[in-house]
Amino acid sequence: MISHDSKIIIVGAGVFGLSTALWLARAGYKNISVFDRCAFDVNYYNPLDGCDGASADINKIFRTGYGTEQEYQALAIAAREIWLAWNQEIKESSPSELPPGITPEDKVLDLCGNFFLAEGPELRVFYKDSLSSMEKTAPESRALQFVKGNIEDEERLRKIDPRWVKTFHALDGINDNNTNGFFDIQGGVTLADKACTYARFLCEKAGVKFVLGSPQGKLQSLIVEQVGSEKKVTGITTADGQSHQADIVIVACGGWTATVIPEAHRTVETTAGTLMFIDVPKTRKDIWDKFNSKNFPAWSYRRGEGDETSRYYQGGGFPITRQGRLKFGFRGRKFTNFQNHPTAPNLRVSTPRTKYTEDTINTVPLYGLKLVKEVIGKAFPELAEFGFTDTRLCWYTDSIDNNFVIDYVPGYTDSLFICSGGSGHGFKFLPILGKHVKNQLERVPDQFTHLWKWRAAEHDKECNGLEQGESGPREMSKIQMAERKESQPPQGSTAQHCPTG
């Protein structure tokens, strides 16, 4: 049974690992060590400087709308309050009181608004459910949501602040304005790299030890003993050959989870989202102003149904960063990359492949890139002259039902714990997630216990794509990858400029 004196090792210093470490340390757990192969104390979670986990990013969408999933809706609202408290803490600190990579001018949450959009005039069911759920359970939050095309809602928005009306119409160009949806001014974007850097700083202040960088922070293997009919994890071995003992090992390493815990290969699966970027020159003040977060929201757009259709679109975009980077994401098809498992014979699992893995990749599937070019080219023709200047695969960890997997791994005498399955929507919970991870570790039931329990894909049932395996249509080895020329200006452009990168 875990206690405050237990020696705890957490593998992974992303969202799940950081939040878990913070809440455990603040609750009195005295011996927590977090290991990660990335030198986050040097690169500060910068995705352009060797970081390739899903948590290491420039920004993530923050939303509170969750359809009928009231548990996650309430969790997002609770997280929002802590995000804003962190903003205030940072603002009120002197530079010397903050960690490297953070200044008093930084925010970790930017409330630029979050726009949910879908094709056609009829309000999508998920949007209806989100609004209805918020009305029933959090009416004060529902008052901050505004239905597209509703004149009364637009006037209500104007009374709150006239500047919001400009943002309310910032996305009218998508699908020639034949869209439905709602605008939520309590949402926005988290500044992911800054947020992780600050959370790690708070962990260290609470007494958490970090072992970062390769080889000393890179997991080589779990140390496993046989105890009767069960196994027991007694620690980890790192790539420098050192052994580190523990009473419990918490695996919170995102896309690499199934490569660490082979039993998890039917519980979570690593899938790639497609990210594309446009770097806007500082000379283009018109574009910087238009896409500034004071005028432009985070947004998502849905078109069609079913990822096997050529029209299906599930993606979104972000305001421009302080460095002039626009980011667009596509998750209409979630790609896999099956490889031999590093420790389990005859097992193939989807494994991240990035710009920084041993088998490097510097492109994205042509399928997603073409669709993003089509949508962006019509919505924002002023961006056509730039083309996409960079691309990235972002490797998420999908569970069979998009609920997280936070539980003891069966058959390991309560010595191995999985904390994963973010399914592309976990980052917003960074400040609050660890509170409920702690409950599962201590076997204190709460509203998430039944949602996050250990479970596995069943044969002949749809399980969020996990049922497809390596023979499925998402496997990258079967998919045409984009060449550099494919990043040229979006379709519909009349610009004659070449891409800038």
Side-chain angles (χ1 to χ4, degrees):
M1 182 70 179
I2 192 170
S3 73
H4 284 184
D5 295 319
S6 296
K7 191 170 185 179
I8 301 169
I9 285 178
I10 299 174
V11 182
V15 165
F16 280 60
L18 290 170
S19 191
T20 298
L22 182 59
W23 279 86
L24 289 177
R26 287 181 168 178
Y29 288 83
K30 305 179 184 70
N31 199 336
I32 304 169
S33 297
V34 179
F35 288 77
D36 201 294
R37 63 187 172 82
C38 285
F40 294 131
D41 53 340
V42 176
N43 55 39
Y44 313 125
Y45 292 85
N46 185 342
L48 300 178
D49 193 17
C51 304
D52 53 6
S55 296
D57 207 341
I58 55 176
N59 45 31
K60 302 282 189 183
I61 286 180
F62 179 85
R63 62 181 171 100
T64 58
Y66 259 94
T68 59
E69 298 176 278
Q70 293 182 7
E71 295 90 350
Y72 289 108
Q73 172 194 292
L75 195 64
I77 293 172
R80 183 179 183 272
E81 295 308 307
I82 304 178
W83 281 115
L84 293 176
W86 285 4
N87 273 356
Q88 195 65 25
E89 290 172 13
I90 293 169
K91 181 180 179 181
E92 294 176 353
S93 298
S94 66
S96 62
E97 294 174 316
L98 294 170
I102 302 286
T103 71
E105 290 73 38
D106 286 318
K107 292 180 179 180
V108 289
L109 173 63
D110 185 350
L111 293 180
C112 59
N114 182 239
F115 220 133
F116 295 86
L117 288 169
E119 180 183 42
E122 179 66 25
L123 198 63
R124 194 165 175 263
V125 172
F126 177 82
Y127 301 163
K128 290 180 180 178
D129 288 343
S130 295
L131 296 169
S132 176
S133 177
M134 200 71 78
E135 179 67 42
K136 293 175 182 176
T137 61
E140 69 285 355
S141 293
R142 175 63 182 87
L144 302 176
Q145 297 172 322
F146 306 85
V147 176
K148 184 179 186 295
N150 185 303
I151 297 175
E152 293 180 357
D153 271 14
E154 182 167 337
E155 185 56 33
R156 187 163 59 88
L157 186 61
R158 189 187 309 277
K159 289 179 180 179
I160 293 175
D161 191 333
R163 76 176 182 88
W164 281 121
V165 177
K166 182 177 181 179
T167 309
F168 197 49
H169 289 283
L171 301 167
D172 286 354
I174 292 181
N175 199 40
D176 297 322
N177 205 26
N178 180 24
T179 53
N180 68 88
F182 69 92
F183 181 44
D184 188 345
I185 64 172
Q186 67 190 327
V189 295
T190 55
L191 289 306
D193 51 350
K194 301 293 184 184
C196 287
T197 297
Y198 190 65
R200 190 178 75 80
F201 167 69
L202 295 178
C203 284
E204 287 187 323
K205 286 180 65 177
V208 177
K209 177 185 177 184
F210 285 85
V211 183
L212 302 173
S214 183
Q216 65 275 7
K218 182 178 180 181
L219 175 73
Q220 187 69 37
S221 63
L222 302 174
I223 301 173
V224 183
E225 298 178 356
Q226 195 69 34
V227 180
S229 61
E230 291 196 306
K231 300 174 184 178
K232 182 179 181 180
V233 174
T234 60
I236 66 170
T237 301
T238 45
D240 59 357
Q242 298 296 309
S243 295
H244 307 270
Q245 301 304 308
D247 297 307
I248 182 170
V249 173
I250 300 172
V251 177
C253 51
W256 286 265
T257 299
T259 64
V260 176
I261 307 174
E263 291 88 348
H265 78 282
R266 298 291 295 168
T267 297
V268 293
E269 181 177 67
T270 295
T271 66
T274 306
L275 299 180
M276 279 141 286
F277 305 92
I278 295 175
D279 293 298
V280 181
K282 290 184 177 180
T283 55
R284 293 302 303 271
K285 187 177 183 299
D286 56 329
I287 294 179
W288 279 69
D289 287 347
K290 175 173 180 175
F291 291 95
N292 188 289
S293 65
K294 294 180 180 179
N295 306 314
F296 194 82
W299 58 276
S300 60
Y301 173 57
R302 298 287 292 263
R303 181 183 74 184
E305 297 291 340
D307 69 355
E308 302 309 315
T309 67
S310 60
R311 289 193 72 259
Y312 180 66
Y313 193 90
Q314 179 185 350
F318 298 78
I320 197 167
T321 68
R322 287 164 62 178
Q323 293 73 36
R325 172 160 278 207
L326 287 168
K327 171 184 163 185
F328 304 94
F330 174 75
R331 284 275 277 172
R333 181 173 292 178
K334 301 176 288 185
F335 304 99
T336 56
N337 175 49
F338 277 81
Q339 303 293 318
N340 291 329
H341 194 281
T343 61
N346 305 315
L347 178 61
R348 301 271 289 176
V349 295
S350 184
T351 307
R353 185 183 176 197
T354 75
K355 294 179 179 180
Y356 307 114
T357 52
E358 186 174 338
D359 182 18
T360 61
I361 187 169
N362 287 290
T363 185
V364 294
L366 181 59
Y367 176 90
L369 188 144
K370 279 186 172 180
L371 285 170
V372 175
K373 285 176 69 174
E374 174 197 334
V375 170
I376 300 305
K378 291 181 179 178
F380 311 112
E382 64 271 34
L383 298 177
E385 64 183 279
F386 304 108
F388 296 116
T389 52
D390 194 13
T391 61
R392 177 192 176 194
L393 292 172
C394 184
W395 292 92
Y396 300 95
T397 314
D398 292 338
S399 72
I400 62 175
D401 53 13
N402 288 328
N403 289 307
F404 307 153
V405 183
I406 300 176
D407 199 358
Y408 287 95
V409 179
Y412 280 91
T413 65
D414 284 4
S415 60
L416 182 61
F417 192 88
I418 184 173
C419 190
S420 189
S423 305
H425 70 109
F427 196 97
K428 69 179 72 64
F429 303 120
L430 170 59
I432 193 71
L433 181 69
K435 175 181 180 180
H436 299 279
V437 176
K438 174 179 170 290
N439 284 345
Q440 313 316 312
L441 276 163
E442 295 174 340
R443 297 194 183 282
V444 176
D446 64 20
Q447 66 269 43
F448 296 103
T449 302
H450 71 288
L451 293 175
W452 295 351
K453 65 182 180 181
W454 177 272
R455 56 208 183 278
E458 299 181 31
H459 293 287
D460 301 323
K461 286 188 177 181
E462 289 189 11
C463 297
N464 199 21
L466 270 76
E467 76 282 355
Q468 295 179 0
E470 189 170 4
S471 62
R474 304 181 300 163
E475 167 56 29
M476 279 189 0
S477 62
K478 304 175 183 178
I479 294 170
Q480 182 179 357
M481 305 303 287
E483 298 180 5
R484 187 176 182 83
K485 63 183 180 181
E486 299 294 340
S487 295
Q488 293 192 358
Q491 294 175 13
S493 166
T494 59
Q496 300 300 310
H497 298 76
C498 292
T500 58

